[in-house]
Amino acid sequence: MSHQQMAELLFPDVAQVPEDIFSLYPARELPPEARVTRFAPSPTGALNIGGLYATLISERLAHQSNGVFYLRIEDTDKKREVPGGVENILQSLVYFGVQWDEGPFLSGEDVGSYGPYKQSLRDGIYRVFLKHLIREGLAYPCFCNDEDLNQIRQSQQNSKATPGYYGEWAKHRGITFEQTQEEIALGKPFVIRLRSSGSPNKKVIHYDLVKGRIAFPENDQDIVIMKTNGLPTYHFAHAIDDRLMGTTHVIRADEWLSSLPIHIQLFELLGFPLPKYGHIAPIMKLEGTSKRKFSKRKDLDGTAEYYKTQGYPGFALGEYFMNLINSGFEEWRTVNPQKAYHEYLISTDKMNSSGALLDMNKLNDTSKEVISRLTCEDVYELLYKWSKEFDSELFETLQKDKEYTLKILSIGRNSAKPRKDYAKWSEIKPMIAYFYDGWFEEDASSGYLHLDSIRMDQAQTIIQRYSDLFSLECGREVWFSEIQSLAADLGYAKDMKQYKANPEQYKGHVGDIAMVIRVALTNRNQTPDLYDLMKVMGNQRIVERMRRFMAQNS
Ligand code: GLU
């Protein structure tokens, strides 16, 4: 009876009981093997790369089993919340191609029947369960202020006892209804604590999806489940929400592993079935030859935003993460080069339990591979979208010269072995800038590349002669034989073999001639195939560039 009175005293406004809430959150109608997973970020800063990794695992586990993946915003810590935090996280997830079925969307809509999906909008629900625990004698109000807590800590230190609020040290464990009434009448703030029945001498055994079997001492701390502002703590909200939203598998960072005994206890006291948990180690960064954790403060590349700004396609990062999640992915990819990575089935028991390494070189290789499989139209669209946000100059050019750009991007793309040249969108402009007259002019105005092997007076002659004879219309063979004849005319070997047999007889070889042409046209000594490049540039531009070269070097 006194528990009942206490519950009414503390939560007079709460009329509902847990059954009322359960009826609003019926069990999901899903096939038995379907998994329900979630990503539950706190909007306290940028989405970090570890969060993205964990999210991808959760999303895959749900969708590969025809289940549901949802987002829940854990925003009960209002002090740590950053403005625009939720939108930022959602934008990053969209960029990286993570699709969620329920939760907040960028449109501002909350989708799904298990919401609201923001914890700050669920406090009415938490209060029903808080009242229930008080009514059952499983929780109690604690009026300790900082001073009281310090005193407890001090006494524990003096008597070398384990610190914390538990057992005989828990000052308000035995608080009566009358005492509570008095404290409330004085307007004293209070928290609600769980009345722990655990003992550190007993063990909880947990089978983690990633870490395997773990034995912990039971939780004996009377942890806070409601803060003085009436909002639940993370632990409590986690239990309520994951139960009501029907989560079957919780994949989260292993920093939460030490809280697991609390969570197991909470689910038990509340009479909820425990979801399966998989705790993943943080992604590691390679520094020199050693691995370390990403630092929130100094590692820009620890945020998802960094990869977006750099222009790694979202699906390239997804593809790379698949390699990190399960090493079997690589073999699958070799056998299935054309399939979307979503078709690969991940499994938690094959996951790296000690911290996967993010290796930039491998990420670049994966990204090059993935981009090489795209059509030039897709590359154009994605580059266009990216530049809109990150490179306005490039954006304008892409808008103005779409057809020309498509041709540039198609070089080396439509073959069985496409060029693997771009790892990220930010790399493309510097690599193709010379195709565009404005950027070429900017570059060449400070002079042409110096060619050691050829004297400039010869370069003049080569370009002069070549500008009169070149033709692109009759195909690659004719085009090349013209360069060869020009080489022979000017005292250069027609091919390498000829040159190597008698180098002293020649000024150089046909490759030197091609190099002079390349420099005149692009001011680069490395470009894609010269014939392809000239076809894209077109006669008029080629003639102008050769003229310019001769004028500058005369
Ligand atoms: N809000 C918690 C976090 O930010 C979620 C942990 C969990 O996934 O249960 O890490």
Side-chain angles (χ1 to χ4, degrees):
M1 177 59 196
S2 69
H3 292 320
Q4 172 72 32
Q5 278 179 319
M6 183 75 103
E8 289 310 325
L9 175 65
L10 296 171
F11 297 98
D13 54 323
V14 176
Q16 286 172 307
V17 292
E19 282 62 37
D20 298 322
I21 307 292
F22 290 139
S23 68
L24 301 173
Y25 292 86
R28 292 172 181 272
E29 282 173 26
L30 291 169
E33 70 287 357
R35 292 163 176 182
V36 179
T37 63
R38 83 303 193 269
F39 177 43
S42 302
T44 51
L47 174 64
N48 65 40
I49 194 78
L52 184 61
Y53 180 63
T55 303
L56 195 69
I57 298 171
S58 299
E59 186 272 339
R60 287 291 73 231
L61 288 178
H63 289 153
Q64 74 186 21
S65 64
N66 296 317
V68 174
F69 171 64
Y70 71 88
L71 278 195
R72 181 172 71 229
I73 305 299
E74 306 213 321
D75 59 347
T76 54
D77 192 349
K78 289 293 171 194
K79 276 192 272 178
R80 290 180 54 225
E81 193 163 329
V82 295
V86 177
E87 287 69 27
N88 262 332
I89 292 172
L90 300 191
Q91 268 160 0
S92 290
L93 293 177
V94 168
Y95 183 83
F96 289 102
V98 177
Q99 290 182 357
W100 60 101
D101 307 304
E102 297 172 11
F105 280 78
L106 276 169
S107 59
E109 228 185 323
D110 224 21
V111 174
S113 357
Y114 290 80
Y117 294 89
K118 272 193 187 149
Q119 287 186 332
S120 57
L121 302 176
R122 299 173 63 79
D123 67 314
I125 298 171
Y126 304 127
R127 291 169 71 77
V128 171
F129 288 92
L130 287 164
K131 185 168 185 178
H132 166 75
L133 288 182
I134 299 275
R135 201 186 289 118
E136 296 293 309
L138 296 171
Y140 62 88
C142 163
F143 291 85
C144 281
N145 56 24
D146 285 350
E147 206 179 304
D148 298 326
L149 295 175
N150 272 336
Q151 250 172 31
I152 298 176
R153 203 168 303 132
Q154 201 56 57
S155 319
Q156 286 170 334
Q157 254 171 26
N158 296 344
S159 56
K160 301 207 165 28
T162 310
Y165 203 92
Y166 62 98
E168 65 198 29
W169 300 101
K171 190 170 163 195
H172 289 100
R173 225 174 194 236
I175 194 166
T176 61
F177 176 74
E178 291 71 26
Q179 284 165 334
T180 309
Q181 240 178 350
E182 275 167 36
E183 299 281 26
I184 287 182
L186 291 171
K188 276 208 184 168
F190 65 91
V191 299
I192 303 285
R193 286 183 184 272
L194 190 72
R195 194 187 303 278
S196 173
S197 52
S199 153
N201 303 322
K202 288 201 218 134
K203 290 260 185 289
V204 212
I205 308 292
H206 163 67
Y207 292 90
D208 196 81
L209 295 170
V210 178
K211 307 252 182 212
R213 182 184 185 277
I214 307 173
F216 298 100
E218 282 182 359
N219 169 57
D220 67 336
Q221 299 279 334
D222 286 357
I223 56 137
V224 175
I225 53 177
M226 186 196 86
K227 298 179 274 189
T228 47
N229 61 7
L231 289 176
T233 54
Y234 161 70
H235 305 303
F236 189 67
H238 154 50
I240 304 298
D241 291 346
D242 279 315
R243 159 68 179 84
L244 296 178
M245 296 178 175
T247 309
T248 62
H249 290 64
V250 173
I251 304 296
R252 61 184 180 187
D254 66 4
E255 62 183 292
W256 294 110
L257 199 54
S258 59
S259 306
L260 199 63
I262 294 177
H263 299 162
I264 293 176
Q265 187 178 46
L266 265 170
F267 274 83
E268 207 174 277
L269 292 180
L270 286 160
F272 296 168
L274 192 69
K276 289 200 161 55
Y277 287 90
H279 288 89
I280 47 182
I283 297 224
M284 307 293 273
K285 182 179 167 74
L286 194 63
E287 195 161 72
T289 51
S290 52
K291 283 171 149 197
R292 68 163 172 82
K293 282 190 195 173
F294 277 93
S295 143
K296 261 196 187 137
R297 269 180 308 114
K298 62 175 201 221
D299 292 325
L300 275 183
D301 55 350
T303 65
E305 186 70 18
Y306 170 84
Y307 297 85
K308 178 177 164 189
T309 313
Q310 288 286 307
Y312 284 99
F315 46 86
L317 212 72
E319 173 98 11
Y320 176 65
F321 276 173
M322 285 292 134
N323 281 297
L324 294 188
I325 295 169
N326 282 169
S327 54
F329 178 76
E330 206 167 328
E331 204 184 312
W332 177 88
R333 176 48 88 210
T334 319
V335 183
N336 301 289
Q338 300 302 334
K339 290 193 176 167
Y341 73 74
H342 297 111
E343 291 184 49
Y344 176 76
L345 301 184
I346 64 163
S347 95
T348 45
D349 50 0
K350 289 197 213 112
M351 271 174 56
N352 188 337
S353 63
S354 65
L357 180 70
L358 197 153
D359 179 336
M360 281 293 179
N361 292 327
K362 285 206 184 126
L363 169 62
N364 284 334
D365 286 348
T366 305
S367 194
K368 279 184 183 169
E369 183 75 44
V370 168
I371 294 178
S372 80
R373 282 189 234 125
L374 300 175
T375 63
C376 61
E377 285 81 9
D378 286 342
V379 174
Y380 177 88
E381 285 310 324
L382 291 164
L383 182 64
Y384 183 77
K385 243 180 159 169
W386 175 84
S387 67
K388 189 169 185 180
E389 200 175 341
F390 298 106
D391 187 341
S392 55
E393 198 189 35
L394 176 63
F395 179 68
E396 275 166 36
T397 303
L398 293 178
Q399 218 168 16
K400 210 168 59 207
D401 292 326
K402 176 165 180 183
E403 289 313 310
Y404 185 44
T405 305
L406 280 171
K407 282 194 209 149
I408 297 168
L409 295 174
S410 71
I411 296 179
R413 193 157 289 280
N414 304 320
S415 71
K417 277 200 168 166
R419 278 168 61 87
K420 293 178 187 156
D421 36 12
Y422 314 127
K424 46 189 178 175
W425 308 132
S426 58
E427 276 176 4
I428 297 191
K429 186 168 86 179
M431 286 170 84
I432 64 172
Y434 59 81
F435 277 100
Y436 302 88
D437 298 332
W439 287 327
F440 176 75
E441 189 52 44
E442 253 172 54
D443 176 51
S445 60
S446 48
Y448 284 90
L449 264 186
H450 186 70
L451 295 171
D452 280 345
S453 56
I454 304 151
R455 293 207 323 270
M456 254 343 182
D457 57 340
Q458 286 172 3
Q460 279 291 332
T461 315
I462 291 167
I463 295 303
Q464 189 142 36
R465 294 279 303 272
Y466 189 61
S467 62
D468 292 336
L469 67 87
F470 85 93
S471 75
L472 299 166
E473 281 69 38
C474 306
R476 184 186 291 275
E477 272 79 51
V478 174
W479 165 85
F480 187 59
S481 66
E482 283 168 358
I483 299 183
Q484 281 183 312
S485 324
L486 176 63
D489 257 19
L490 295 172
Y492 290 76
K494 275 185 166 185
D495 56 45
M496 248 348 224
K497 213 167 124 201
Q498 199 180 42
Y499 178 71
K500 280 201 175 144
N502 295 300
E504 65 295 339
Q505 281 185 20
Y506 301 102
K507 290 185 190 157
H509 54 82
V510 69
D512 297 322
I513 305 285
M515 183 57 89
V516 174
I517 301 169
R518 176 173 285 115
V519 170
L521 298 181
T522 67
N523 204 21
R524 301 281 171 91
N525 54 13
Q526 270 186 336
T527 66
D529 180 84
L530 187 58
Y531 176 73
D532 288 344
L533 175 159
M534 289 175 69
K535 284 287 271 187
V536 169
M537 282 191 167
N539 281 355
Q540 196 188 337
R541 182 173 278 111
I542 293 173
V543 170
E544 274 163 21
R545 293 216 176 165
M546 290 200 281
R547 270 197 207 127
R548 191 195 183 287
F549 181 82
M550 289 187 284
Q552 175 116 351
N553 292 302
S554 59

